[in-house]
Amino acid sequence: MIALLAHLTATGYGPWGDGMARLFLEPTELLLVIALVLLAVQSGGPSGDRLPLLLPLAWLLGGLIGLHLPAELLLAVTCTAVVAAAGLLVALGVRLRPRVLLPLIALLAAGFALVPGSALAGHPGALAALLGETVAIAVLTTLLTQLLAPPHPRWRAIAVRVGGSWITAGSLLMLGWLIRHPQ
Amino acid sequence: MTRIHWQSTVLATAAGAQALAPTAAWAHADAHPGGGFVTGFLHPISGLDHVVAMVAVGLWGAVLGPPALWVLPVAFPLVMAFGGLLGLLGVPIPGVEIGIAVSGLVMGLMVLFELRPPLWLAALIVSAFAVFHGHAHGAELPAGSNALHYSLAFVIATGLLHLVGILLGETRRWPGGRRFVQGAGGVVALVGLWFLEQGLT
């Protein structure tokens, strides 16, 4: 099956499936979701419980707005820097209060989703692709929050911080690469 | 319950690796054969000087014990990536290869003699060497459309080398393990010394 949309990889399952696959083929978006989940889990409290609902909804909202933007947003450097910062918060073991963390997550997710939304704008099947990616985010977020939900042993808390460190490190290298090779 | 969690972890890891693995089906296929996940993963493993130094970080962390056991593997990738950023931006750092060789020598000696400086000093030493390692690899990061795959794989491989060092270091709990770890530190120091000699001549 031929890919119907630009910025999507043909999976053979139509725009919906292509949208789901996009999350796993666009590492920046995947890393942001993982970093936000790790941050919420690390912060504890109700943040982790509310994340599986909040994150996909914010993503969908941002994506829908992005679909109506007149031009594609090219914010690779900004997005990569945001992912690096989110990973750094995890690596440093920062714990944010829910009233700070949850709006921050919603803002970041919605802001990030503007990019894929604007990239898909004007293409047939764009809405289905966006919904597919949103569902993929919901599933991933739910699985990760359940897997990492506290209380957890000490080694898992360390693994979360190491994960944040890896996300930041990968993003920093990507940032340098983007600056060196402007898109 | 623990078993279920373990299985879930394995499945999630496998799914993540599968998702990140490069395939020919990607729309944005590599413009450069070195731009993918596999190449990035193999890069740190292919250089012996980098390998021994990364294993030594884990070994030394195990010798130092908590919290250094996990502080060093968390700090190293961050600082290494900062060094990589400098390398990518073309910021020169003199004596990078010498610094990498010295890192193996110094950390090998730390493990060999079971030196236990304060945590801040250990982190400072490791971080200083991390800049050299990162700079060398950052300068070599190939132009390709999957640079993030490459970068992530590179960092993960480095982290796994730390884990190998930690696991080897944990054998200190076993009879004869302490001598084994010291011996491993000696081997790392010798390899570092060899690379230092190569770098100076």
Side-chain angles (χ1 to χ4, degrees):
Chain A
M1 184 168 181
I2 301 169
L4 296 174
L5 304 169
H7 305 285
L8 290 177
T9 299
T11 60
Y13 295 100
W16 170 272
D18 296 348
M20 293 185 87
R22 179 190 158 91
L23 176 66
F24 299 99
L25 298 178
E26 288 291 336
T28 311
E29 295 170 13
L30 180 64
L31 288 183
L32 177 78
V33 171
I34 293 173
L36 293 180
V37 170
L38 295 181
L39 190 57
V41 167
Q42 183 171 262
S43 296
S47 302
D49 299 333
R50 295 174 189 172
L51 199 67
L53 185 64
L54 176 71
L55 187 51
L57 282 180
W59 191 275
L60 181 61
L61 178 67
L64 288 173
I65 295 171
L67 284 177
H68 293 90
L69 291 177
E72 181 180 350
L73 294 175
L74 298 172
L75 300 171
V77 172
T78 307
C79 290
T80 307
V82 168
V83 173
L88 187 61
L89 290 176
V90 177
L92 294 176
V94 172
R95 295 184 178 202
L96 297 174
R97 293 177 182 176
R99 66 181 178 185
V100 174
L101 180 61
L102 293 175
L104 179 68
I105 286 173
L107 187 68
L108 288 178
F112 238 75
L114 289 174
V115 177
S118 70
L120 298 173
H123 293 280
L127 183 59
L130 180 63
L131 286 171
E133 187 172 21
T134 304
V135 168
I137 288 172
V139 171
L140 179 68
T141 306
T142 305
L143 286 174
L144 283 178
T145 48
Q146 290 299 313
L147 186 70
L148 301 171
H152 39 63
R154 179 75 176 151
W155 68 265
R156 199 176 294 171
I158 294 170
V160 166
R161 292 185 66 170
V162 170
S165 165
W166 289 5
I167 289 172
T168 301
S171 302
L172 274 179
L173 287 171
M174 180 64 185
L175 200 58
W177 187 89
L178 282 171
I179 295 170
R180 185 174 177 178
H181 306 285
Q183 301 295 298
Chain B
M1 195 66 180
T2 304
R3 186 172 180 179
I4 292 172
H5 274 181
W6 168 246
Q7 289 170 338
S8 303
T9 306
V10 170
L11 285 173
T13 307
Q18 174 67 23
L20 289 168
T23 68
W26 281 355
H28 300 285
D30 285 347
H32 187 290
F37 189 88
V38 173
T39 311
F41 193 85
L42 293 177
H43 192 142
I45 300 171
S46 60
L48 183 62
D49 49 351
H50 186 72
V51 169
V52 294
M54 296 308 97
V55 172
V57 170
L59 283 171
W60 197 25
V63 169
L64 291 168
L69 183 64
W70 58 269
V71 166
L72 299 187
V74 167
F76 193 96
L78 292 175
V79 185
M80 183 187 73
F82 177 70
L85 185 65
L86 295 179
L88 278 160
L89 296 179
V91 178
I93 294 181
V96 169
E97 296 302 327
I98 301 293
I100 291 173
V102 171
S103 72
L105 175 61
V106 170
M107 286 192 283
L109 290 175
M110 295 288 183
V111 175
L112 174 62
F113 295 113
E114 297 184 318
L115 298 178
R116 294 185 178 84
L119 179 61
W120 67 268
L121 184 57
L124 189 66
I125 292 170
V126 167
S127 298
F129 289 135
V131 173
F132 290 111
H133 285 268
H135 190 279
H137 292 294
E140 297 165 2
L141 195 67
S145 55
N146 287 320
L148 187 52
H149 289 116
Y150 180 95
S151 304
L152 268 179
F154 178 87
V155 171
I156 290 171
T158 298
L160 291 178
L161 287 174
H162 292 159
L163 184 61
V164 168
I166 290 171
L167 292 175
L168 288 174
E170 286 301 304
T171 59
R172 296 173 84 252
R173 299 164 189 262
W174 299 348
R178 189 176 160 196
R179 293 291 175 222
F180 167 74
V181 172
Q182 284 183 299
V187 170
V188 170
L190 283 175
V191 173
L193 186 63
W194 185 79
F195 276 105
L196 181 61
E197 191 269 336
Q198 294 292 311
L200 291 173
T201 55

